[in-house]
Amino acid sequence: MVRTLLALFALVSAAAPIVAQPVPGPLADLTAVQTHLRAVTTMTADFAQTDRSGKVLTGQLKLKRPGKVRFQYQPSVPILIVGDGNSLWFIDYQVAQVQRWPIGNSPLGVLLDSSKDVTKFARVLPVSDPRIVFVEARDPRHPEYGTLTLAFARESGAPAGLRLQGWIALDGQNNRTTVRLSNQRFNVAVGDEAFRWRDPRPNHGPH
């Protein structure tokens, strides 16, 4: 986990602008993260996802709060992850398999539900680079939901002065996934059709 965090740290540091003003303290940073999450209603980005074995997949991300997200993987990967506002779906078209989780049970819950008060269940991680902010979020009442560590770069033109650069998700089975973002666009038009999907199972219609 530490090595993965440092790798994401290096990525964000390289992308982050120079900070010329005094850096806020942890409480102010946590409040800024809350403000950022509530200010961003939609986001699109390219992503690179690395699993615990080191395998990297790329694709495009579309997010629309509350609860909607789509991870559209590269054409050679026959899987799709969609959050439709209520559930998070994992669809494998190669084997016609579908799995479903309530969004709140996923580490991504904090990213998808801006009504959550992150100051109640998150903390700012100490780092030596003033250009970045790491926030670790977990529900102490439900450790089985996992942990999400969000990585932000300080950027004056971004919502609440922060640009989401990626995250590290650790689920209840200790499976780690690292997501790095690029070409982020905030509060752009994203239609609800982006969060519909075709069910590969026999006798199941579109969702």
Side-chain angles (χ1 to χ4, degrees):
M1 178 66 176
V2 173
R3 183 175 298 176
T4 304
L5 193 59
L6 289 174
L8 192 56
F9 181 106
L11 174 82
V12 177
S13 296
I18 299 298
V19 175
Q21 64 274 14
V23 177
L27 181 58
D29 278 337
L30 202 55
T31 301
V33 168
Q34 179 79 83
T35 302
H36 171 94
L37 294 176
R38 290 180 174 173
V40 176
T41 56
T42 66
M43 182 180 71
T44 63
D46 298 325
F47 71 85
Q49 173 188 298
T50 306
D51 65 17
R52 63 185 304 175
S53 67
K55 183 178 180 180
V56 179
L57 300 177
T58 62
Q60 293 185 322
L61 164 71
K62 292 183 178 180
L63 180 148
K64 187 174 185 178
R65 297 190 176 100
K68 295 178 180 178
V69 69
R70 183 184 185 98
F71 291 89
Q72 182 70 58
Y73 290 86
Q74 61 203 59
S76 61
V77 178
I79 62 176
L80 178 67
I81 296 177
V82 178
D84 60 9
N86 297 304
S87 302
L88 192 66
W89 301 86
F90 177 91
I91 308 103
D92 188 326
Y93 287 103
Q94 185 170 15
V95 296
Q97 183 179 22
V98 175
Q99 296 179 330
R100 171 188 173 275
W101 298 271
I103 283 176
N105 293 9
S106 162
L108 289 176
V110 64
L111 187 62
L112 299 178
D113 185 357
S114 57
S115 68
K116 290 179 176 289
D117 185 354
V118 299
T119 65
K120 303 296 185 183
F121 57 88
R123 67 186 182 103
V124 175
L125 300 181
V127 293
S128 58
D129 192 326
R131 298 173 296 176
I132 64 174
V133 178
F134 279 126
V135 171
E136 181 185 81
R138 68 175 74 193
D139 187 339
R141 298 169 301 175
H142 298 281
E144 70 275 13
Y145 293 175
T147 303
L148 189 72
T149 302
L150 300 170
F152 295 89
R154 299 187 195 275
E155 184 176 312
S156 59
L162 297 173
R163 174 177 289 271
L164 180 63
Q165 295 290 99
W167 60 83
I168 300 170
L170 195 65
D171 68 16
Q173 288 72 48
N174 214 36
N175 295 310
R176 184 183 64 233
T177 303
T178 302
V179 173
R180 298 176 173 88
L181 303 179
S182 59
N183 301 319
Q184 301 94 315
R185 298 179 65 203
F186 301 108
N187 297 328
V188 295
V190 177
D192 286 339
E193 66 277 2
F195 311 104
R196 301 189 182 107
W197 52 279
R198 178 181 59 83
D199 197 319
R201 298 170 296 182
N203 304 319
H204 284 76
H207 291 254

